[in-house]
Amino acid sequence: MAKQKQQQPKPAADAAPPPREFKTAHSPWFTYASMVTLFSLCPPFVILLWYTVVHADGSVARTYEHLRDHGILEGLKAIWPMPTVLAGKIILAFALFEAALQLLLPGKRFEGPISPAGNVPVYKANGLLAYAVTLVTYLSLWWFGIFNPAIVYDHLGEIYSALVFGSLVFCLCLYIKGHVAPSSSDSGSSGNAFIDFYWGMELYPRIGKHFDIKVFTNCRFGMMSWAVLAVTYCIKQYEMNGRVADSMLVNTALMLIYITKFFWWESGYWCTMDIAHDRAGFYICWGCLVWVPSTYTSPGMYLVNHPVNLGPQLAISILLAGILCIYINYDCDRQRQEFRRTNGKASVWGKAPSKIVASYQTTKGETKTSLLLTSGW
C-alpha cells in the first residue's frame, strides 16, 4: 500500500467536512446509557477509590457505611477534596516537563499506519529516553532535597480532584478545537454534540506541526504518571517506616518493568486502536489523564500504609510470575506487529497463523482489505 504524505490542517476558508454518519452496534438508547454511565460514575469512582484505599484502610464496607449513614450525595461531598493551588502547580509542572521532553528530546522518525482519510501521521520516537530522564530527574530531586515526592502522596486527593475537573475542561477544549481548527482531514462531527465530546472530533489532534496531543495524554502524561506515582509510594513508605516492604518492592518493580516495556515498544502502540482508531475525546483522553494515574496505581497506594511482608521465596515467585505475564503481553503485541508487517505471511510458533480477512470502506469511498490475526498466545 503506497504511503501518502500527512495532510496539514486545512485553511479556515475551507468548508467544514460534512457530519459523518454515526452508527452504533447496539440500540441508540443502550449506547447513550453507556456513555452517561461512564460520564457520571467514573469521576466519583476515582475519589471513592482514593478515599477507600487511603482513609478507610482499603475497606469497601467502611466506605459503604459512610455513604449509607450520610447519604450518597452528602457523603460523597464530605470526602471529596477540593482542588488546591499546590495540586495545580504539581500537575502543571509535571505536564510542562513531559511536554518539553516530548518536543525537545531526540528520536527517530516513525510513520504510523495510513488513516481512513489517507494521512500518514509522523512521530518522533523518544519515549524511552523521556521515561529515563523523567525517573532520573524525579529521584534526583528527592535525593538532593530539592523536592520531596511524599508531598505528592500527602496531597493525592486534591491532585485527583484537580485532574477530574481539569481533564473535563481539557476534553472540552479538544471538542472546540475539532470544530474550529482541526489538525487534518481525519476529523469531523457525528452531528451529535454529546457523542462528539465523548468519542472525540479528531483522530490526530496536534498543536502546531509536531506536538501530538494523543501521544501526550496517553503516553507522556498517563503512562509516565503511573511510573512516577509508583516510585512516589515507595519513597513515602520509606520515609514513614525507614524501610520499603518486599511487597512494595515487587509491586513497584513489576509496574516499572511493564512501563519500561511500553516505552521501549511505544512506536508499536502508535499502530494500535488507541491511536489509529479512537478519536481524542473524553473516552480516551480523560481516561489516560485521570483513570490511569488513579486506578492503575492503587495497589501501591494501598501498600503505603499497609505493608505486607512476603518473605524472599514468595516475593521472588510473585516477581517471576509477573515478569512472565508481562513477557506474554509483549509477545502478543510483537506477533501482531510482525503479522501486520509481513501482510499475514509471518510464522507464529513455527506455523502459519490463522486470520480473518476484513473489508472496509474509507471516508473517501475507497474499499480496503485488512488481515486480523486470530492465533498466537
Side-chain angles (χ1 to χ4, degrees):
M1 186 181 294
K3 294 183 178 178
Q4 303 176 29
K5 293 184 179 179
Q6 183 182 23
Q7 298 181 14
Q8 297 300 318
K10 295 182 178 181
D14 286 4
R20 63 188 189 276
E21 184 181 1
F22 184 81
K23 296 181 179 179
T24 62
H26 307 283
S27 69
W29 285 110
F30 181 85
T31 300
Y32 288 126
S34 300
M35 291 189 291
V36 170
T37 300
L38 288 175
F39 270 126
S40 57
L41 295 186
C42 285
F45 178 86
V46 168
I47 301 302
L48 287 171
L49 176 64
W50 161 79
Y51 174 82
T52 301
V53 169
V54 175
H55 294 289
D57 292 325
S59 173
V60 176
R62 283 180 56 182
T63 301
Y64 167 75
E65 290 169 1
H66 171 82
L67 296 177
R68 181 195 61 193
D69 295 341
H70 296 82
I72 294 179
L73 293 180
E74 287 300 319
L76 187 60
K77 181 180 177 181
I79 65 176
W80 195 307
M82 293 297 294
T84 61
V85 173
L86 176 60
K89 287 181 178 179
I90 292 173
I91 295 169
L92 183 61
F94 177 72
L96 291 177
F97 182 73
E98 293 305 326
L101 295 184
Q102 181 177 334
L103 284 172
L104 301 178
L105 289 180
K108 292 183 179 180
R109 173 189 170 95
F110 180 83
E111 294 184 355
I114 297 177
S115 72
N119 298 314
V120 178
V122 177
Y123 306 97
K124 183 164 60 171
N126 59 6
L128 189 60
L129 181 57
Y131 174 63
V133 171
T134 297
L135 291 185
V136 169
T137 301
Y138 195 59
L139 289 171
S140 297
L141 291 174
W142 171 61
W143 184 260
F144 292 106
I146 300 172
F147 177 77
N148 188 353
I151 295 174
V152 176
Y153 177 84
D154 294 338
H155 296 271
L156 203 54
E158 302 155 28
I159 291 172
Y160 286 151
S161 181
L163 283 174
V164 165
F165 296 116
S167 297
L168 287 174
V169 175
F170 180 83
C171 292
L172 178 61
C173 292
L174 288 178
Y175 171 78
I176 295 172
K177 179 186 178 302
H179 272 290
V180 302
S183 298
S184 75
S185 54
D186 283 295
S187 62
S189 172
S190 66
N192 184 304
F194 186 63
I195 291 174
D196 287 344
F197 180 81
Y198 175 84
W199 176 245
M201 293 285 294
E202 296 185 80
L203 184 59
Y204 297 116
R206 295 195 171 193
I207 298 176
K209 183 179 179 181
H210 301 291
F211 189 76
D212 189 283
I213 293 176
K214 279 170 68 178
V215 170
F216 173 75
T217 58
N218 297 24
C219 307
R220 307 309 170 82
F221 193 98
M223 294 298 294
M224 205 73 77
S225 64
W226 184 0
V228 167
L229 286 173
V231 172
T232 297
Y233 301 149
C234 268
I235 293 174
K236 177 63 178 180
Q237 189 180 81
Y238 175 78
E239 295 200 347
M240 289 174 57
N241 305 325
R243 61 184 293 270
V244 180
D246 54 5
S247 55
M248 178 69 88
L249 290 175
V250 170
N251 172 77
T252 305
L254 289 176
M255 286 186 176
L256 293 182
I257 290 171
Y258 179 85
I259 299 166
T260 301
K261 182 272 300 182
F262 172 86
F263 282 110
W264 183 71
W265 178 78
E266 187 183 38
S267 58
Y269 174 71
W270 294 335
C271 300
T272 64
M273 288 183 64
D274 283 5
I275 301 295
H277 174 70
D278 293 338
R279 296 189 171 218
F282 173 88
Y283 167 73
I284 193 163
C285 291
W286 191 93
C288 290
L289 293 172
V290 186
W291 194 257
V292 171
S294 57
T295 62
Y296 286 28
T297 67
S298 58
M301 192 194 314
Y302 172 80
L303 288 172
V304 169
N305 291 312
H306 307 86
V308 178
N309 295 314
L310 300 172
Q313 185 175 356
L314 183 56
I316 292 173
S317 299
I318 295 175
L319 179 64
L320 292 178
I323 291 174
L324 175 61
C325 292
I326 293 171
Y327 170 75
I328 292 174
N329 171 267
Y330 160 75
D331 202 46
C332 289
D333 291 330
R334 183 197 61 79
Q335 290 176 11
R336 186 167 61 249
Q337 291 299 113
E338 184 67 12
F339 178 83
R340 290 172 178 169
R341 188 185 67 81
T342 60
N343 198 30
K345 296 181 175 61
S347 174
V348 177
W349 288 11
K351 60 182 180 180
S354 59
K355 57 184 178 289
I356 297 174
V357 180
S359 298
Y360 63 94
Q361 195 171 52
T362 69
T363 55
K364 292 183 177 181
E366 301 171 340
T367 300
K368 304 289 184 180
T369 301
S370 293
L371 299 177
L372 306 178
L373 177 64
T374 59
S375 63
W377 282 99

